[in-house]
Amino acid sequence: MLVLGIESSCDETAAAVVRSDGRVVSDVVSSQVALHAPFGGVVPELAARAHIDNVVPVIEQAVSCVPGGFQAIDAVAVTNGPGLVGALLIGVQAAKAIALSRDLPLVGVNHLIGHLLAVFLRRSDQDPAPPSYPFIALLVSGGHTALYEVRSPSDLEQLGQTRDDAAGEAFDKVAKVLGLGYPGGPKVDKLASQGNRTRVPLPRPLAGKRELEFSFSGLKTAVAQYVAAESAQMDEAHMADICAAFQHNVVSVLVDKALAACERRSVPRLVLTGGVAANRGLRALAAEACQARGVELFVPPFASCTDNAAMIAYAGSQRLILGEDDGLGLSVFSRSPILGVSAQAAEARRFKSSRMPRPSGV
Ligand code: KG4
Ligand code: ZN
């Protein structure tokens, strides 16, 4: 089965065509980073307007790589939440138009489930084998930070999440305080590799606590207070030390809790996913700790970790295999508790304004 996936939940307009076995046929991502950078974060209204401009060319490009073009597509999957409602609506309306005009099944995909299943995408024959079920997943992005046990595409359980800021959000805010620009994660990562993490005293939030929950807002505020208290102009070496201490405190808590989850559930497989999974400090510490504890570590390639539509197409294909079809009444949602694919279908039904009959002869 060939599935066209569409993603527009935040600041990436993306479309991809993926086979239900995870093979990526095409994967197109149009990033709005430059558009939002002057504001230091995503501006929802600007994001929605940019999605309107980008969605058709991005879909056309993704489908043009498929032998047979639109004729070869068997179904459409689209992110219908969580995310910015104005942004989500653009992708969902485009998906409905395609499903209607070609009489194709249409499924909504929870963006978080897309991230959790991204490890099954096959981009080349050299890709390492994906994990077997069940596995523990640490999802760390700009909008979410949580731990899950993934038992099958339709059986997922959230084990804990952040009480406040997402890890990526904390990286972005610390970068802003240091004047490093947006998005800050990669910049903090680079500087951290040159710094000494023991020079700046910062808290390790909820470290050592039994809960599988996170909290990054206090750590972010501690950095802001430290920077505000420094009267002298800060040189790059000093900023590198701050980044190193901040990053170490974030990633060590992430790794500790992820391994605690593996232990508690007796699941010796850990998947890192989301944009922050690109962080070199996180990858290195997770590799070291997993090796020491006999846990197998899986980190998808960067293109699968960050927001993309291939993961949406794949997650959608797993719903389609179960015979699910949301039809043209599919609606969007901004926030949701994490759930399984079957629960996701129930939620999609709940959010449907009405199930519109498919016009005959179209
Ligand atoms: O998954 P993603 O592309 O979009 C969301 O769904 O949020 O994640 C983006 C986040 C941003 O906060 C960005 O700063 C962070 O991932 N990020 C990083 C790194 N690369 C991206 N954070 C830390 N280190 C990195 N190397
Ligand atoms: Zn995401």
Side-chain angles (χ1 to χ4, degrees):
M1 188 199 308
L2 265 188
V3 180
L4 167 65
I6 300 171
E7 155 66 39
S8 67
S9 63
C10 191
D11 59 344
E12 265 93 24
T13 320
V17 178
V18 174
R19 275 191 350 209
S20 48
D21 63 0
R23 171 67 61 181
V24 179
V25 180
S26 66
D27 182 17
V28 180
V29 180
S30 168
S31 170
Q32 302 176 7
V33 161
L35 176 69
H36 301 288
F39 305 95
V42 178
V43 183
E45 177 68 19
L46 293 182
R49 287 169 186 236
H51 286 309
I52 290 176
D53 291 341
N54 297 335
V55 74
V56 171
V58 163
I59 292 171
E60 278 176 341
Q61 198 184 333
V63 174
S64 70
C65 306
V66 181
F70 272 109
Q71 304 286 353
I73 303 295
D74 297 305
V76 184
V78 61
T79 306
N80 69 322
L84 305 169
V85 164
L88 287 162
L89 282 169
I90 313 301
V92 167
Q93 290 308 115
K96 283 183 186 178
I98 295 166
L100 175 65
S101 64
R102 303 219 61 86
D103 196 20
L104 296 174
L106 169 68
V107 285
V109 172
N110 183 312
H111 180 83
L112 305 180
I113 296 178
H115 274 302
L116 296 177
L117 301 183
V119 69
F120 293 103
L121 294 174
R122 318 282 3 115
R123 292 177 183 274
S124 84
D125 293 333
Q126 280 75 52
D127 283 357
S132 50
Y133 290 107
F135 58 85
I136 299 296
L138 172 66
L139 167 55
V140 267
S141 71
H144 305 94
T145 295
L147 278 163
Y148 303 87
E149 182 178 343
V150 184
R151 294 183 283 266
S152 80
S154 55
D155 185 9
L156 306 91
E157 184 185 355
Q158 183 176 291
L159 306 177
Q161 64 173 332
T162 180
R163 292 179 182 176
D164 39 58
D165 290 5
E169 193 180 350
F171 269 95
D172 293 337
K173 287 178 179 168
V174 162
K176 196 171 180 180
V177 161
L178 293 173
L180 297 175
Y182 171 86
K187 289 166 180 147
V188 172
D189 187 1
K190 187 159 176 253
L191 264 186
S193 67
Q194 302 155 19
N196 179 336
R197 65 179 166 85
T198 61
R199 288 211 188 112
V200 178
L202 291 174
R204 279 184 78 229
L206 300 184
K209 292 258 169 35
R210 275 191 53 78
E211 304 97 323
L212 296 176
E213 288 191 327
F214 307 97
S215 166
F216 297 112
S217 128
L219 172 57
K220 166 201 76 185
T221 305
V223 173
Q225 285 171 344
Y226 179 89
V227 171
E230 287 295 303
S231 46
Q233 179 74 24
M234 220 178 274
D235 61 14
E236 189 160 308
H238 197 167
M239 289 208 283
D241 291 343
I242 297 171
C243 290
F246 164 77
Q247 178 169 296
H248 177 75
N249 287 11
V250 173
V251 304
S252 60
V253 172
L254 290 172
V255 170
D256 283 357
K257 304 249 172 185
L259 284 166
C262 291
E263 204 167 297
R264 222 173 274 183
R265 293 295 169 119
S266 304
V267 174
R269 285 169 293 280
L270 175 64
V271 170
L272 303 185
T273 191
V276 183
N279 185 269
R280 285 172 293 172
L282 174 60
R283 285 173 179 238
L285 195 64
E288 194 184 306
C290 284
Q291 198 179 19
R293 307 262 199 103
V295 170
E296 216 179 336
L297 179 67
F298 299 84
V299 191
F302 188 59
S304 296
C305 284
T306 50
D307 282 353
N308 66 87
M311 67 184 192
I312 302 304
Y314 178 75
S317 76
Q318 303 308 294
R319 290 196 59 202
L320 291 155
I321 285 169
L322 298 176
E324 294 174 5
D325 178 358
D326 293 323
L328 299 177
L330 179 71
S331 191
V332 302
F333 58 94
S334 59
R335 296 171 72 87
S336 80
I338 186 63
L339 12 79
V341 171
S342 46
Q344 185 191 350
E347 184 178 69
R349 279 191 289 277
R350 193 159 59 82
F351 276 94
K352 268 179 203 171
S353 39
S354 64
R355 191 175 173 99
M356 285 166 43
R358 203 176 280 276
S360 57
V362 180

